[in-house]
Amino acid sequence: MAVLQTTFFSSALGMTSSLTAVLPQDAAPGEKFPVLFLLHGLSDDHTTWLRLTTLELLLQNRRLAVIMPNVHRSFYSDMAHGLKYWTYVSEELPKVARALFPISDRREDTFVAGQSMGGYGAFKLALSKPEQFAAAASLSGALDVRALRVLFTSGEYGDIFGDVNDGAHKDDLFAIAETAARSGEPVPKLYQCCGTEDFLYEDGLRFLRHAGKLGLEVDYEEEPGLHEWGYWNVKLPRILDWLPMEKR
């Protein structure tokens, strides 16, 4: 496996950004790998999945590329008072990654997953861009942005989201899911898990019930666990096995 730390200029952000990539180093001429965009949480960055889990070891026998971007504390949003991280991760990042690395641009080869804030980002990407993603996994996802003020410093919540009480807010995953369900278009395969002692457990159940009412199928698992890397490291093999990768 090759592990690459990459910096590049982001036009969407107007500054240099970074990503970590893990991928097989023996690509055949013309080979394009399936790709998993793996998203970090609120207090993490693009290196954390690699540093705190067995990700590289688990990828040894898989023909899969993993791209891990850095979005700081943006909640994968075009911030009300800040930078356009949603534009960056949903539009610019895939183009940059495919220009730099031998990864597929086919929907059936493209997946997204993340933990906590990244679990929200994964479902937001998949349900907002269903034509781009075949599957999305949310681990202990912070799925209800209206219930998250406790996670932020004073003023930070408003800088990211603005007024969340302003109708169907653009970052409200419940509204995004409703739009996806009513579109009539194929919805990506969805997986959701959370530890029953996690402070986000009830938020996750609210989204799960909402998805069920909309007719969205979600592969759901829960077991004892907290909001911490020990839990996510245990779930990571399950996520990789669950991805609907074509046999090669």
Side-chain angles (χ1 to χ4, degrees):
M1 302 300 294
V3 178
L4 304 170
Q5 304 291 347
T6 304
T7 58
F8 60 96
F9 182 80
S10 165
S11 297
L13 302 177
M15 67 179 189
T16 298
S17 190
S18 301
L19 64 81
T20 300
V22 183
L23 67 163
Q25 63 189 46
D26 58 345
E31 182 177 8
K32 300 290 186 180
F33 298 115
V35 59
L36 170 65
F37 291 92
L38 188 56
L39 309 182
H40 69 76
L42 187 68
S43 61
D44 305 314
D45 66 12
H46 59 295
T47 70
T48 316
W49 273 104
L50 193 62
R51 291 187 291 107
L52 296 183
T53 73
T54 57
L55 176 63
E56 186 178 359
L57 180 63
L58 291 168
L59 292 174
Q60 290 296 320
N61 297 314
R62 300 174 192 267
R63 307 298 284 175
L64 175 70
V66 177
I67 305 296
M68 294 164 279
N70 189 14
V71 303
H72 302 283
R73 294 171 62 89
S74 68
F75 243 82
Y76 301 89
S77 173
D78 281 353
M79 301 168 69
H81 306 289
L83 301 180
K84 294 184 178 298
Y85 278 99
W86 171 248
T87 299
Y88 167 67
V89 78
S90 66
E91 298 179 13
E92 185 177 27
L93 175 69
K95 294 177 182 177
V96 169
R98 289 178 176 122
L100 295 175
F101 309 112
I103 57 177
S104 174
D105 61 0
R106 301 193 311 160
R107 177 186 187 267
E108 54 265 41
D109 291 335
T110 305
F111 320 114
V112 61
Q115 43 75 233
S116 194
M117 180 184 80
Y120 162 84
F123 274 7
K124 183 180 180 183
L125 277 168
L127 293 171
S128 298
K129 305 282 186 177
E131 73 282 0
Q132 296 182 20
F133 295 92
S138 174
L139 292 78
S140 311
L143 303 181
D144 186 354
V145 297
R146 298 178 190 275
L148 296 178
R149 291 183 186 274
V150 67
L151 299 181
F152 297 94
T153 59
S154 177
E156 186 182 17
Y157 184 86
D159 286 343
I160 297 171
F161 299 113
D163 183 4
V164 297
N165 296 315
D166 184 20
H169 192 275
K170 65 181 178 62
D171 297 314
D172 182 355
L173 192 60
F174 289 69
I176 293 170
E178 188 167 345
T179 298
R182 291 180 175 177
S183 70
E185 299 298 323
V187 175
K189 185 178 179 182
L190 301 175
Y191 172 90
Q192 180 182 343
C193 69
C194 193
T196 52
E197 288 72 46
D198 193 309
F199 73 98
L200 292 175
Y201 175 70
E202 293 296 335
D203 291 0
L205 288 183
R206 280 199 301 277
F207 179 80
L208 182 68
R209 290 192 292 267
H210 180 71
K213 291 177 182 178
L214 294 173
L216 297 177
E217 294 186 13
V218 181
D219 293 330
Y220 178 75
E221 294 179 347
E222 65 175 55
E223 54 272 299
L226 297 168
H227 199 80
E228 49 88 24
W229 280 100
Y231 176 76
W232 302 320
N233 188 47
V234 169
K235 299 301 292 188
L236 184 56
R238 168 73 172 115
I239 300 304
L240 295 175
D241 289 340
W242 172 84
L243 295 177
M245 288 181 56
E246 297 178 354
K247 292 185 178 180
R248 293 174 177 249

